Amino acid sequence: MMTNIQKQQTLERDDYLRFRLPEALKERFKLYCYLKGITMSDTVREMIEEVLRNENLEELLQEKLLQEKRRDTLKEETDE
């Protein structure tokens, strides 16, 4: 019998994220992961989860909306 967590993990599918790094940085990261006995994917996933745990996304969204509103207001004033 599957638990709820197992069902959720079955429903969630991994997606790919591609990004560019300087070759030397990639090689150092690869070596770091090898020496720690962990995969690069697991390490990046954990880093992303840590960043998101330590950030208040609602607060960031509100700040961004305020910035955009100020920008739009300034643009309207200069267009007049």
Side-chain angles (χ1 to χ4, degrees), residues 42-56:
D42 285 343
T43 305
V44 170
R45 189 177 302 110
E46 287 174 14
M47 289 175 177
I48 291 171
E49 287 172 351
E50 173 137 357
V51 166
L52 294 176
R53 257 193 313 273
N54 293 323
E55 288 290 347
N56 182 336

Side-chain angles (χ1 to χ4, degrees), residues 44-80:
V44 170
R45 189 177 302 110
E46 287 174 14
M47 289 175 177
I48 291 171
E49 287 172 351
E50 173 137 357
V51 166
L52 294 176
R53 257 193 313 273
N54 293 323
E55 288 290 347
N56 182 336
L57 293 180
E58 181 67 31
E59 186 178 304
L60 290 172
L61 175 61
Q62 292 302 322
E63 289 174 16
K64 187 67 168 175
L65 291 172
L66 279 173
Q67 287 172 2
E68 290 178 5
K69 185 175 180 177
R70 284 189 205 114
R71 186 196 67 220
D72 291 345
T73 302
L74 285 173
K75 186 176 185 309
E76 287 172 9
E77 289 173 359
T78 57
D79 286 347
E80 291 175 358

